[in-house]
Amino acid sequence: MNNWNPTWNWADLNLTVAAPEIVLLTGLFAVLLADLWTSDDKRYITHWLSVGVLLSAAFGQWGVWQSQDAVGAFNNMYIADGLSQLTKIAVYLGMAVLFIYARPYNQMRGIDKGEFYTLSLFAVSGMSIMISANHFLSAYLGLELLSLALYALIALRRDSVVASEAALKYFVLGALASGLLLYGISMVYGATGTLEFSQIVDLARAGSVNGWLLKLGVLFIVAGVAFKFGAVPFHMWVPDVYQGAPTSVAALVGSLPKIAATVFAFRILVGGLVLQKGDWQPMFAILAILSLLVGNLAAIMQTDIKRMFAFSTVSHMGFILLAFIGSVIGVEAAVYYAIAYALMALAGFGVLMLLSRDGRECENLSDLAGLNQRNAWYAFVMLLVMFSMAGIPPLMGFYAKFAVLKALISTNAYVWVLPVAVFAVVMSLVGAFYYLRVVKIMYFDDKTDDAPVQGDSTAKLLLSANALLLLLWGVMPEQLMGWIRVAVANAGLTLGS
């Protein structure tokens, strides 16, 4: 049953398809070395070099794009297909945009250091490996690389007790989740004799597995995956991390890893454990229902806008988990939703960083009071973000929720699917309350701060483009959905009809 083959040659590595990761890691070490000889007054060198590394990785991915069938590398532990290529480009470009958003904010707080850029690039490397994993070992390697970088980033402000506490809580709970995931992986190996996703499917189809041990392994793996999504009841770290971390780091934690987590979950559950979907799909339904309920109800009670975003994230992850119950269009809907949420989170946190200044954090809802009187354009940007998160047409968030509900209703696998879809709609209506409350505060409350909105012109331009993209891909969603549909078809991921 053991399919491990100790013989290999250099051709098995197939380094060409891993060019984006090679470019990224080479550039990362270049940033590390350059930062050693860069003084604080010339930190812009580290900043723009890091942005250049990410853009180079994105162009590298474009240059080795595989338009045909999926291609394996590193003895088939790494896979390059349409899904990995599209989502990695989204992650690289998203991180480059986040660096530009974060620089003025970090400068005011004394954390515009090389550590922020190098740790963030390590996190991107972890996400990239997670996205292309075709083996439990490479998947776990990517997950831990991302997690370890985030632990350090959250505690980047060493003089902040709140940040240190948030990092410690995330570390302890993350270690527990990693242990659960490893325990599940060991059970899957014991049941099948392999850790490669495609071989697990083949062995399960042939009946050459220990069924009960595999079911138990699936249970622990779902727990580990749910932690990365921040789904209830594995969400305890989310509000504390969002509130305690610097806003620039909270923007990272709450945006791009959701794309990586979505593809990571599909690699494991759809790419490797699809024949066990009768076991994990009901668990995902329960996690989604709890996340929608707890996330939306808890967000209503928040006065700290970062904690509100945190519980909002929990509810949005509930929608992504619901897509796992759908057919192949559920895969497409989940990827679209993850990209849409990353764009919404980047724009939302971008506005908070723009409104923060030296000695004053924009962290309470009252800090947004009268924003329309201070700067009508950025009030409109935040309005687009809030309306999109609420799922109001014609913004991107509306189509994302619609696509998930469509995928959910289209499946005939379970009799409880329709009531779950109705529940998701009701929870979306509940969630609209706290999003519209932010709009009311910005447009109808008296301003509490007369300071003009300042910031880097490049960051302001990108923030405006980011928000308008929510409108453009909401009005014309088929452009992005068309790319995703081709990418998913190329990956060959399907939950069945």
Side-chain angles (χ1 to χ4, degrees), residues 1-5 72-79 132-139 185 188-189 192-204 209 214 267-268 271-273:
M1 195 187 302
N2 191 332
N3 292 283
W4 170 253
N5 182 6
F74 299 100
N75 207 22
N76 217 31
M77 296 179 70
Y78 171 103
I79 191 168
S132 283
N134 189 43
H135 193 282
F136 271 115
L137 288 182
S138 53
I185 291 172
V188 170
Y189 182 75
T192 63
T194 183
L195 293 176
E196 187 177 319
F197 299 150
S198 56
Q199 291 182 4
I200 291 172
V201 175
D202 293 339
L203 290 169
V209 298
L214 188 58
R267 293 291 183 207
I268 294 175
L273 299 170

Side-chain angles (χ1 to χ4, degrees), residues 80-162:
D81 55 22
L83 184 60
S84 68
Q85 293 165 154
L86 177 65
T87 51
K88 279 194 282 189
I89 287 178
V91 168
Y92 298 152
L93 296 180
M95 183 58 77
V97 169
L98 177 57
F99 278 167
I100 294 172
Y101 288 172
R103 187 167 183 246
Y105 175 90
N106 287 347
Q107 285 177 318
M108 288 186 289
R109 278 145 191 83
I111 54 174
D112 186 40
K113 306 289 186 181
E115 292 90 339
F116 174 78
Y117 297 101
T118 53
L119 287 170
S120 297
L121 290 174
F122 272 119
V124 172
S125 301
M127 287 185 264
S128 189
I129 296 171
M130 287 169 64
I131 287 170
S132 283
N134 189 43
H135 193 282
F136 271 115
L137 288 182
S138 53
Y140 185 76
L141 174 66
L143 177 64
E144 287 304 294
L145 185 58
L146 168 63
S147 299
L148 290 172
L150 292 183
Y151 299 151
L153 279 168
I154 293 165
L156 199 58
R157 295 189 68 176
R158 288 170 288 183
D159 58 339
S160 171
V161 176
V162 178

Side-chain angles (χ1 to χ4, degrees), residues 360-373:
R360 183 184 175 95
E361 285 279 346
C362 181
E363 56 186 6
N364 295 313
L365 291 175
S366 57
D367 294 329
L368 295 173
L371 179 59
N372 185 53
Q373 303 166 38

Side-chain angles (χ1 to χ4, degrees), residues 276-328:
Q276 286 70 45
K277 65 180 182 179
D279 299 321
W280 56 258
Q281 281 185 333
M283 288 190 281
F284 267 37
I286 295 172
L287 292 172
I289 291 170
L290 292 174
S291 298
L292 288 167
L293 181 64
V294 174
N296 284 307
L297 294 182
I300 291 175
M301 299 181 287
Q302 304 305 315
T303 57
D304 185 298
I305 191 167
K306 291 205 289 185
R307 288 186 74 88
M308 190 199 82
F309 274 155
F311 285 109
S312 165
T313 298
V314 173
S315 67
H316 284 290
M317 294 307 102
F319 263 98
I320 292 181
L321 292 176
L322 285 180
F324 282 74
I325 304 169
S327 59
V328 66

